[in-house]
Amino acid sequence: MEPIRAACYIRVSTEEQTEYSPEAQRRALDRYAQQHGMMLLPDHIYLDAGISGRRAETRPAFMAMIAAARQKPPPFSVILVHKFDRFARNREDSIVYKSMLRRQCGVQVISITEHLEDDRMSLILEAMLEAMAEYYSINLGDEVRKGMTEKARRGELQTAPPFGYRVMDHTLVPVPREADVVREIFKKFLSGSSLVSIARWTQRLGVLSHRGNPMDARQIKYILTNPAYVGLLRWRPSRADPTPLLVPGRHEPLVSQKTFDQAGERLAQLSLRHGPHARPAGERKHWLAGLVRCAQCGGGLIFSRPHYLKCGRYAKGRCAVSQHTPVEPLEAAILAKLRADAACRRPFTVSAEPSATPQASLHRELTAIERKLTRLREAYLGGAESFAEYRSAKEALTDQANQLRQALATSANREPENVKERLRRALTTLEDPAAGTEAKYRAAAGVLERCTWSKAEGKVILRYRLSL
């Protein structure tokens, strides 16, 4: 008789769990497999070390095991675990994944230390074990948060050091060069410099964040609002509590309380003047906004009052070139090029490149919808979505997919469209004074795959969705 092919899943949350160490679990699983005539497959021993069992999607080995079990046919028929709480400490995850494995894959999950018979009472016992595991996990999380909050109250460091500091003996210690940059950031901001100009200043200096990235306006704002620079430590006990805990730290402040308060007052004034996100309300301000791209970084150009376009990434301090240009001459140049190409005597044909055809675009959209359906189903199986949310979202995505399939079927029976005809139709909308901004944007986007503006060269480059 051929032995039962088995996989095993091993998980430890912390290094302190010596009684459930990976080696101890592996030895116990090997013994169980030998005693019960099972063949433990070396390629299907899955280990998540130092990872919580609260959420399945955060455990890479667990998700790899589930993916292997869903193969046709599955390479194993049994998954061995030391205890059910190694498989999951969330009842919903446990129920969903066990049910999927059992019904769709024919794979059974067996706890080698919690023997269950194949009867109705075992269902109740298994549910009790799952509930106890979830209770333990939630209670442990609460106790950990309480301990961390108590440490925060004593002024002990709980987070990574902010820019300007490093950690020595559990205490923040200033890094001289970074500390000078922090002080200069406050000085420049209070002298009237904008967040973006300060970000560009740090980039010119070659200053990088602790994650190794150039600073942008958001990081400058975070520095200006971080109480660590006046000697305080900030700790949020829980996500549900909006009020952070502020306690005196043991570290050296980098700026005075007066300087910090003045920076906060100026930030508040700027917020009142420009709004929380400093973005214009209402519809798109011009049909070229977002359609034209920066030749330097590839970012979209945004509308800037009264009648200019500029690189959106430059506005956030992420691009070195503004591409700042009046919108009227750029619009006139693009329309003139479209008219010239539409009136060109040289014949236009549909591109032989498959990626440039309308059918290819529909196929890409359909593939994207199908990926969303797959991710949605996995999210539901993983417990991230309720059944009602899953059903509603699935129906909406399925409708979109059916519409795309119908459009593909219709386009397959349609003669290839001349590029000139597409350009003329787009021009009809673009030159119509009554056409709205969004209608013009859609018309242009329908024929332009890419539109790039280089202020340095004084040149705009158009790339059609259907080649010339």
Side-chain angles (χ1 to χ4, degrees):
M1 181 177 177
E2 186 178 349
I4 299 172
R5 299 168 68 85
C8 73
Y9 178 69
I10 300 169
R11 181 181 64 80
V12 288
S13 296
T14 64
E15 295 179 356
E16 286 75 26
Q17 291 178 312
T18 53
E19 67 275 26
Y20 299 125
S21 68
E23 296 78 12
Q25 291 184 49
R26 174 66 188 276
R27 287 193 297 270
L29 293 166
D30 280 334
R31 284 196 303 271
Y32 183 92
Q34 293 173 7
Q35 292 169 0
H36 292 79
M38 298 179 181
M39 180 172 63
L40 198 54
L41 303 175
D43 293 339
H44 294 285
I45 296 172
Y46 300 93
L47 167 64
D48 280 318
I51 298 178
S52 168
R54 186 76 65 86
R55 295 169 56 201
E57 61 268 24
T58 61
R59 295 181 276 154
F62 181 89
M63 298 309 295
M65 177 181 69
I66 296 298
R70 296 175 68 177
Q71 296 175 12
K72 301 296 183 182
F76 46 81
S77 58
V78 168
I79 295 174
L80 300 179
V81 294
H82 189 261
K83 293 179 67 176
F84 283 125
D85 66 2
R86 300 299 89 194
F87 185 81
R89 275 190 168 158
N90 175 301
R91 278 180 297 170
E92 193 169 358
D93 274 357
S94 182
I95 292 169
V96 167
Y97 281 104
K98 285 181 184 177
S99 176
M100 182 199 70
L101 288 168
R102 184 169 54 250
R103 296 180 182 180
Q104 299 179 19
C105 310
V107 174
Q108 183 182 5
V109 179
I110 296 177
S111 166
I112 65 172
T113 59
E114 298 158 327
H115 182 66
L116 298 176
E117 300 293 340
D118 189 14
D119 55 24
R120 297 178 181 178
M121 286 302 297
S122 294
L123 294 175
I124 298 175
L125 180 57
E126 186 173 355
M128 290 176 61
L129 291 171
E130 289 166 349
M132 290 171 62
E134 184 170 18
Y135 169 79
Y136 173 81
S137 180
I138 293 173
N139 187 64
L140 179 62
D142 289 341
E143 294 302 318
V144 169
R145 279 192 295 274
K146 288 178 184 177
M148 295 178 76
T149 300
E150 185 57 35
K151 286 184 178 180
R153 292 184 189 279
R154 296 197 298 263
E156 296 183 26
L157 185 65
Q158 299 282 351
T159 59
F163 181 83
Y165 291 100
R166 61 188 175 90
V167 177
M168 180 180 293
D169 297 329
H170 307 288
T171 304
L172 295 176
V173 177
V175 178
R177 182 172 182 271
E178 292 183 2
D180 290 340
V181 171
V182 170
R183 295 187 185 99
E184 191 63 22
I185 286 173
F186 276 89
K187 182 179 178 181
K188 285 180 175 292
F189 184 69
L190 291 180
S191 66
S193 297
S194 68
L195 299 177
V196 171
S197 66
I198 296 173
R200 294 199 188 101
W201 169 74
T202 62
Q203 291 166 15
R204 289 194 297 270
L205 289 179
V207 174
L208 299 178
S209 69
H210 283 180
R211 293 187 178 182
N213 301 318
M215 290 191 177
D216 59 16
R218 288 178 301 177
Q219 289 169 309
I220 299 301
K221 183 177 180 180
Y222 182 78
I223 287 174
L224 293 169
T225 57
N226 192 339
Y229 300 116
V230 289
L232 298 176
L233 292 178
R234 179 170 53 190
W235 173 256
R236 195 178 299 277
S238 69
R239 292 182 180 179
D241 187 357
T243 305
L245 181 66
L246 291 174
V247 296
R250 304 171 183 172
H251 60 282
E252 174 190 341
L254 298 186
V255 298
S256 68
Q257 185 67 51
K258 181 181 178 181
T259 298
F260 185 79
D261 291 341
Q262 288 174 341
E265 290 173 4
R266 181 163 186 251
L267 283 170
Q269 291 171 0
L270 291 175
S271 180
L272 287 173
R273 187 184 309 165
H274 301 294
H277 303 294
R279 296 181 64 179
E283 64 174 358
R284 191 185 303 273
K285 298 301 180 183
H286 195 277
W287 63 270
L288 288 179
L291 181 71
V292 184
R293 297 280 166 177
C294 168
Q296 176 73 17
C297 69
L301 267 60
I302 61 175
F303 187 81
S304 176
R305 293 179 180 178
H307 50 265
Y308 293 93
L309 289 176
K310 65 180 179 181
C311 176
R313 292 181 181 174
Y314 176 86
K316 296 179 180 178
R318 298 178 185 172
C319 180
V321 181
S322 71
Q323 305 293 7
H324 196 268
T325 185
V327 71
E328 290 85 356
L330 185 59
E331 178 183 21
I334 291 173
L335 289 175
K337 176 61 175 172
L338 292 174
R339 292 190 196 100
D341 289 340
C344 181
R345 293 183 179 181
R346 183 159 52 93
F348 283 31
T349 57
V350 176
S351 170
E353 184 181 355
S355 62
T357 65
Q359 289 83 0
S361 178
L362 291 172
H363 275 297
R364 285 195 296 271
E365 290 184 48
L366 180 59
T367 300
I369 294 294
E370 289 172 344
R371 286 199 199 100
K372 288 181 181 179
L373 281 167
T374 300
R375 290 197 298 268
L376 179 67
R377 185 169 180 270
E378 290 175 350
Y380 167 64
L381 291 174
E385 298 279 355
S386 68
F387 179 71
E389 293 170 333
Y390 168 68
R391 182 173 59 183
S392 174
K394 181 184 177 184
E395 289 175 355
L397 289 171
T398 302
D399 287 344
Q400 293 179 38
N402 290 336
Q403 291 174 13
L404 289 169
R405 292 188 185 101
Q406 185 176 358
L408 275 168
T410 303
S411 65
N413 299 321
R414 185 183 298 162
E415 290 294 325
E417 190 174 27
N418 189 286
V419 180
K420 289 184 180 180
E421 294 174 5
R422 293 175 59 84
L423 290 177
R424 291 185 187 117
R425 282 212 314 272
L427 278 167
T428 299
T429 301
L430 292 171
E431 294 175 332
D432 182 3
T437 302
E438 287 297 329
K440 290 185 177 183
Y441 173 83
R442 288 194 298 270
V447 294
L448 293 175
E449 182 176 319
R450 195 167 184 86
C451 178
T452 304
W453 164 246
S454 172
K455 184 177 181 179
E457 299 177 10
K459 181 169 62 177
V460 61
I461 300 174
L462 305 184
R463 179 177 175 181
Y464 295 118
R465 294 192 181 278
L466 301 179
S467 64
L468 305 185

